[in-house]
Amino acid sequence: MATKTDTDLLYEKAISRCGLRFTSQRRCVFDVLLNKRDHPTATEVFRRAKSRISSISLATVYNCLETLVECGLARQVHIDREPTRYCPNLLEHGHFVCSVCGEVWDIEVPSGGGAGMPYRLPEDATVISADVTLHGLCPRCNAGKN
Amino acid sequence: MATKTDTDLLYEKAISRCGLRFTSQRRCVFDVLLNKRDHPTATEVFRRAKSRISSISLATVYNCLETLVECGLARQVHIDREPTRYCPNLLEHGHFVCSVCGEVWDIEVPSGGGAGMPYRLPEDATVISADVTLHGLCPRCNAGKN
DNA sequence: CTAGGTGCAAAAGGTTTGCGGTTAA
DNA sequence: TTAACCGCAAACCTTTTGCACCTAG
């Protein structure tokens, strides 16, 4: 295997903490995810990974992505019922999806007050996590309308 | 066909406005959805509809649900990548999903300020709609923990 | 060395579609 | 009457799984 990068060391540490192995496929998939943070689907990650490891299989990409999620190094992003996307941004955040170009942007959520605070809940409910996805026109596509 | 109810008239009006036909299957599916507002999946709607029209098919239920959505009488609810659920609540609202019992509750969103206002967007973006799903413990399951 | 990971192919599960027969308007 | 709709079955697409071989530790 080639020299380990800082990214590799981060991943290797996280993955061994989970009692898992640091394989070249996992390294590749993680690198693909960090390299271009555009919320790719598993199929897109597969396409990019295959250009580096031509023998890699789609099932392995799914497995590696699941491993990344398990290790806490990535999160799944669900937009309607479209194919699952993957996001290496570990901070609490939501997503903005452009209805024209389809691009996905990370958006900030209010830091104080906890998840979902702007919403009125049934009494005595406890919120664990919040999934927020906004649909609309991104700056680029908005500009194109003028 | 049996006597038309108020619900039927509402649906018939909406459906003819869309240039579509008021069939017994569509009537049945809409009625099932309004009858128990528990965010059923297409399969569950199929099960309930079949108890009234035994010959109805799953594909027809999917088609009827799609028609309802097109006519603006129901909305799809996406929770992660679970099967799509259907909701006849037309007001702007989000969903709270209990991690224990799986029940889905409608939750209010802030009325003033528009969709997604608590979130910091990329500049010059326009929000069209907001999907908000909170995960946590519902009052009933929360109480069971004590 | 060996438990865990990979590649392949097949299966699973939700949803959509094509087609011949049926029906609301 | 006839275009739209229904039921059925097959197709579709994403994701998961079983299995024989391989490899990191």
Side-chain angles (χ1 to χ4, degrees):
Chain A
M1 183 189 300
T3 314
K4 288 176 186 171
T5 64
D6 289 352
T7 294
D8 289 339
L9 292 172
L10 161 69
Y11 190 14
E12 192 167 13
K13 192 176 164 191
I15 212 169
S16 67
R17 200 188 307 124
C18 294
L20 302 171
R21 287 187 191 166
F22 186 62
T23 66
S24 58
Q25 290 87 345
R26 284 175 173 168
R27 176 195 192 182
C28 173
V29 165
F30 188 39
D31 204 53
V32 161
L33 211 58
L34 288 179
N35 188 256
K36 191 156 175 251
R37 293 165 165 257
D38 59 351
H39 307 83
T41 61
T43 303
E44 178 59 21
V45 172
F46 174 55
R47 205 185 60 75
R48 295 179 194 174
K50 207 169 175 61
S51 73
R52 305 193 201 180
I53 302 178
S54 62
S55 64
I56 201 171
S57 72
L58 179 57
T60 293
V61 169
Y62 271 104
N63 288 334
C64 293
L65 288 169
E66 188 186 335
T67 301
L68 279 170
V69 172
E70 275 175 17
C71 294
L73 294 175
R75 290 161 67 171
Q76 293 189 324
V77 177
H78 301 284
I79 298 170
D80 296 341
R81 256 202 136 252
E82 289 172 18
T84 304
R85 293 160 178 267
Y86 293 83
C87 174
N89 179 354
L90 301 176
L91 301 174
E92 182 185 6
H93 69 284
H95 295 97
F96 178 92
V97 187
C98 180
S99 304
V100 174
C101 66
E103 195 164 326
V104 179
W105 309 59
D106 285 358
I107 58 178
E108 286 183 36
V109 297
S111 55
M117 275 308 104
Y119 302 94
R120 193 178 305 168
L121 300 174
E123 284 181 29
D124 301 321
T126 306
V127 175
I128 295 172
S129 67
D131 289 341
V132 176
T133 303
L134 307 183
H135 296 260
L137 296 170
C138 74
R140 206 152 44 224
C141 294
N142 227 347
K145 294 279 170 188
N146 300 334
Chain B
M1 183 191 297
T3 314
K4 288 175 186 171
T5 64
D6 288 353
T7 293
D8 289 339
L9 291 173
L10 162 69
Y11 190 12
E12 192 167 13
K13 191 176 164 190
I15 212 169
S16 67
R17 199 188 307 123
C18 294
L20 302 171
R21 286 190 192 166
F22 186 62
T23 66
S24 58
Q25 289 88 346
R26 285 177 173 167
R27 176 194 191 182
C28 172
V29 166
F30 187 39
D31 204 53
V32 161
L33 212 59
L34 288 179
N35 189 256
K36 191 157 174 248
R37 292 164 166 257
D38 59 351
H39 307 83
T41 62
T43 303
E44 178 60 21
V45 171
F46 174 55
R47 205 185 59 74
R48 296 178 193 174
K50 208 171 175 58
S51 73
R52 304 194 201 178
I53 301 179
S54 63
S55 64
I56 201 171
S57 73
L58 179 57
T60 294
V61 168
Y62 271 104
N63 288 333
C64 292
L65 288 168
E66 189 186 335
T67 299
L68 279 170
V69 172
E70 276 175 17
C71 294
L73 294 175
R75 289 161 66 170
Q76 292 190 324
V77 178
H78 301 284
I79 298 170
D80 297 340
R81 257 205 135 251
E82 290 173 16
T84 304
R85 293 160 177 266
Y86 293 83
C87 175
N89 180 353
L90 301 178
L91 301 174
E92 184 185 4
H93 69 283
H95 295 98
F96 178 92
V97 187
C98 180
S99 303
V100 174
C101 66
E103 195 163 326
V104 179
W105 310 57
D106 285 358
I107 58 177
E108 287 182 36
V109 295
S111 54
M117 276 307 104
Y119 302 94
R120 193 177 305 168
L121 299 175
E123 284 181 29
D124 301 322
T126 305
V127 176
I128 295 173
S129 67
D131 288 341
V132 176
T133 303
L134 307 183
H135 296 260
L137 296 169
C138 75
R140 205 151 45 221
C141 294
N142 227 347
K145 294 278 169 188
N146 298 334

